[in-house]
Amino acid sequence: MQIAEHIRIVDDEGQLLAAAAEEAGVDAKVSTCPGWQVRDLLRHQGAVHRWANSYVAEGLQERHPLEDRSDLDGDALLSWYREGHRQLVDTLTNARTDVDCWAFLPAPSPLAFWARRQAHETTVHRVDAQSALNRATHEEPDPLTPEFAVDGIDELLIGFHARKRSRVRSDVPRTLRVRATDAGADAVWTVRITQDPPAAERGAPDEAECELSGPAARVYLALWNRLPFPDVSGDPALAALWREHSGV
């Protein structure tokens, strides 16, 4: 996906998040994030948007902590979130393509990294906000395109969980397959789980002990622990290992 597409998604998803949060109210429980209320979600995502914005806008070269705005609540919190979201979208839109700043996953450029990362960060937390809004009605969150979901699966498996901080480990080497059934023959990943960070690649070069499969959007949200796995074949203990240890 292109940078401009990711920025459009940051914009759209951030607005959907705000609308769902406003309708649900800051006291509403976020069913996809046990222990969180909507106010916690807004404080977190608002801080992340400002954090990401600071790297691109200021060209920062080192990691720094997120802002703590636990003092904000109610309408003031929602306004703060919306202001930070708009700043991020404007910064990404107007940034030079060769902007130089810190990033924490491999990418063609820092701008490509931040646009992609914030597109997926904001989308997953939009789903959280809509889960708070739809708790009583059990409505489904707004849909995701297979293309974007595949992009997110790629980022999560090949990027996030390749880092040392991933807790998905096994004393005995295991092989997990992930397959998006509605996104073409190449929408498949093989994840080797060992005592080291998981090593994932596109394709199915080896036999797998367990396969997680289903429509790309559902697999994407399941890997982020927002939905149950659509279909599990093979050893269910490997799916349970992912579910228990893959929180980011």
Side-chain angles (χ1 to χ4, degrees):
M1 295 182 68
Q2 300 299 310
I3 292 173
E5 294 176 88
H6 282 133
I7 295 172
R8 177 188 58 77
I9 291 168
V10 176
D11 193 358
D12 292 346
E13 295 287 333
Q15 292 187 60
L16 288 171
L17 191 161
E22 183 172 31
E23 188 172 350
V26 296
D27 294 326
K29 294 181 179 179
V30 181
S31 59
T32 50
C33 297
W36 269 23
Q37 294 175 294
V38 166
R39 61 170 51 86
D40 302 303
L41 181 61
L42 288 172
R43 287 168 181 163
H44 168 76
Q45 191 58 65
V48 169
H49 282 163
R50 282 171 164 74
W51 182 73
N53 179 76
S54 68
Y55 291 105
V56 180
E58 302 172 35
L60 300 180
Q61 298 294 327
E62 296 182 358
R63 188 183 186 113
H64 64 89
L66 272 67
E67 184 179 2
D68 179 5
R69 291 311 307 266
S70 54
D71 58 312
L72 288 173
D73 208 351
D75 291 344
L77 174 59
L78 192 60
S79 295
W80 175 80
Y81 166 80
R82 283 186 163 126
E83 289 167 4
H85 170 248
R86 178 47 47 197
Q87 289 171 1
L88 174 63
V89 172
D90 290 346
T91 293
L92 293 174
T93 300
N94 297 318
R96 302 188 325 272
T97 56
D98 63 348
V99 63
D100 182 23
C101 64
W102 180 80
F104 62 87
L105 295 179
S109 69
L111 181 60
F113 163 77
W114 284 110
R116 185 193 201 195
R117 176 80 291 276
Q118 290 310 297
H120 291 294
E121 172 83 12
T122 307
T123 296
V124 170
H125 287 310
R126 181 271 293 173
V127 170
D128 293 334
Q130 290 185 337
S131 80
L133 177 61
N134 299 335
R135 282 183 86 233
T137 62
H138 303 290
E139 293 179 35
E140 291 284 327
D142 284 11
L144 306 173
T145 67
E147 179 188 23
F148 180 66
V150 165
D151 183 68
I153 295 169
D154 224 45
E155 186 206 41
L156 180 64
L157 295 180
I158 296 177
F160 256 91
H161 282 287
R163 299 182 300 163
K164 292 181 179 180
R165 65 192 303 174
S166 176
R167 296 183 297 110
V168 181
R169 309 290 176 102
S170 173
D171 292 336
V172 178
R174 311 294 305 273
T175 304
L176 176 69
R177 182 97 70 238
V178 176
R179 188 183 306 273
T181 56
D182 60 346
D186 68 336
V188 57
W189 297 258
T190 298
V191 186
R192 295 175 181 83
I193 302 172
T194 65
Q195 293 178 330
D196 298 317
E201 63 177 306
R202 289 290 281 268
D206 302 317
E207 291 296 320
E209 300 158 74
C210 176
E211 179 168 299
L212 313 176
S213 62
R218 295 194 68 84
V219 171
Y220 170 68
L221 291 175
L223 290 170
W224 277 108
N225 292 325
R226 264 56 183 190
L227 292 175
F229 292 120
D231 185 54
V232 178
S233 59
D235 185 357
L238 195 47
L241 175 72
W242 181 276
R243 179 69 72 186
E244 183 177 354
H245 297 292
S246 65
V248 174

